[in-house]
Amino acid sequence: MLKIRKAVLPVAGLGTRVLPATKTIPKEMLPVFDRPAIQYVVDEAREAGIEHIVFVTGRNKSAIEDYFDRAYELEDTLRLKGKTDILETLESEVPEAGSMSFVRQQAPLGLGHAVWCARELIGREPFAVLLPDVIVRAKPGCLAQMVDVYNREGGNVIAVEQVPEDQVSSYGIIDPETHDGRVMKMRGMVEKPSRESAPSNMSITGRYILQPEIFDLLSSQAKGAGGEIQLTDAMDGLMKSQSFHAVEYEGGSFDCGNKAGYLRAFVRFALDHAEEGQNARDVVEQVLKDR
Ligand code: UTP
């Protein structure tokens, strides 16, 4: 079985739900306490053994490329001022040379189209997709839990989590055929079903391990919901010839693509912070008292 070495991070969306904050800043660069959202997702990928990340970018996204480069002037100034702790943090987060690629999606035609844009850089091997506006808080990381299942089952693997039954119509929902603890063999999936027709309350989290045949389907995939080329539609097609397993991973997710989810993530990761967590708690409690 081929190892999962590469991951696609699609970052070409317009982020209209977090405007005006995202007018000139990519939503993936919004700080979640003291680090941009994208850093959490790159760390999750690295923890799972990913060696190469392909970013699918668009216009106004160059800040992401710069973030993963060295900042010589800044580093030099920090060195001169003796600010060694933060300097070490910055240096440790610069990826190994050649371990990231960037490809443009010239128009935001949908998530399926964004993934297809990475086809030449991925080649014919299984790969991961991580939606970077979803930050998952999990130990081990969500993708690492999925790789574990992939190493047993092969095929395609997606992460799912339970949502309240009255909210299923906001999510992509899976149709599980058999359960084995937290792992389910899937027979289908449906985008935003009504509460009555939903096959389960397991929603798709934004983490996927896919076989390269997905690119063949995406190359002729018709537009779906919202007039966009949808990854879900191509996965549904691939399910006719390949196995799909869903993992109910241990942990929780934060959708930073909307304002409430972003705020939740910001507060949660501030409270979790090793050095600043207690300060953050005091600040939050004070703000609530002051209202
Ligand atoms: P979303 O629909 O959540 O992102 O896509 P969006 O389009 O940026 O958000 P809104 O709805 O306008 O607020 C999920 C992921 O897919 C990427 C996005 O960047 C995000 O990470 N995406 C989406 C693309 O890269 N290209 C697309 O054409 C669409």
Side-chain angles (χ1 to χ4, degrees):
M1 197 182 301
L2 288 174
K3 186 176 179 282
I4 308 297
R5 300 187 307 126
K6 297 182 182 177
V8 177
L9 271 62
V11 293
L14 298 178
T16 53
R17 285 168 296 154
V18 245
L19 279 168
T22 47
K23 185 177 170 188
T24 53
I25 301 173
K27 80 174 154 183
E28 299 77 14
M29 290 304 295
L30 292 177
V32 175
F33 195 48
D34 62 351
R35 318 161 76 211
I38 194 91
Q39 181 75 60
Y40 294 85
V41 182
V42 166
D43 288 352
E44 181 189 333
R46 281 185 182 155
E47 185 199 335
I50 296 296
E51 296 162 12
H52 194 98
I53 293 180
V54 179
F55 290 91
V56 181
T57 73
R59 279 183 291 286
N60 294 332
K61 299 282 181 169
S62 50
I64 299 175
E65 209 164 330
D66 291 341
Y67 179 76
F68 289 109
D69 199 354
R70 300 204 77 121
Y72 284 108
E73 257 179 52
L74 175 64
E75 288 170 21
D76 211 37
T77 308
L78 292 173
R79 201 168 293 114
L80 285 173
K81 292 193 171 192
K83 299 197 171 187
T84 45
D85 284 0
I86 188 63
L87 179 62
E88 274 168 24
T89 305
L90 289 188
E91 284 178 340
S92 71
E93 287 181 352
V94 173
E96 192 194 342
S99 65
M100 286 183 171
S101 301
F102 295 81
V103 64
R104 282 267 178 139
Q105 183 192 29
Q106 289 93 343
L109 300 180
L111 174 60
H113 182 262
V115 171
W116 181 74
C117 289
R119 66 197 180 284
E120 293 296 338
L121 292 165
I122 296 295
R124 301 306 288 183
E125 60 182 278
F127 63 102
V129 176
L130 297 96
L131 302 195
D133 46 3
V134 177
I135 300 181
V136 182
R137 183 166 169 263
K139 262 201 173 80
C142 180
L143 187 62
Q145 295 183 40
M146 294 166 68
V147 166
D148 226 37
V149 174
Y150 167 82
N151 288 340
R152 284 201 311 271
E153 307 286 352
N156 303 268
V157 179
I158 65 177
V160 295
E161 62 194 76
Q162 296 201 33
V163 291
E165 270 160 28
D166 58 353
Q167 289 174 25
V168 287
S169 60
S170 306
Y171 298 95
I173 299 291
I174 64 148
D175 185 0
E177 189 179 335
T178 54
H179 281 254
D180 178 8
R182 291 180 162 267
V183 180
M184 288 150 271
K185 187 161 176 14
M186 287 169 59
R187 82 179 132 218
M189 61 186 105
V190 42
E191 202 48 61
K192 303 188 174 62
S194 66
R195 185 178 179 167
E196 296 69 38
S197 66
S200 73
N201 69 335
M202 295 283 178
S203 80
I204 299 172
T205 299
R207 302 287 186 268
Y208 314 81
I209 290 173
L210 297 170
Q211 296 295 321
E213 287 75 20
I214 195 78
F215 293 127
D216 307 335
L217 287 147
L218 284 170
S219 61
S220 58
Q221 187 63 53
K223 287 179 183 167
E228 296 191 339
I229 296 169
Q230 298 288 355
L231 183 61
T232 317
D233 294 341
M235 289 194 297
D236 214 34
L238 191 55
M239 213 175 291
K240 294 186 176 71
S241 56
Q242 293 190 1
S243 75
F244 271 74
H245 286 85
V247 190
E248 189 188 350
Y249 69 94
E250 288 186 64
S253 72
F254 296 82
D255 182 359
C256 297
N258 69 73
K259 289 177 189 178
Y262 172 60
L263 177 61
R264 267 184 64 227
F266 196 106
V267 175
R268 180 69 266 165
F269 286 97
L271 298 179
D272 281 355
H273 196 280
E275 291 94 41
E276 302 286 340
Q278 189 52 50
N279 276 344
R281 185 169 299 277
D282 295 345
V283 169
V284 172
E285 282 170 0
Q286 192 59 52
V287 170
L288 290 171
K289 259 193 227 144
D290 289 347
R291 69 190 151 148

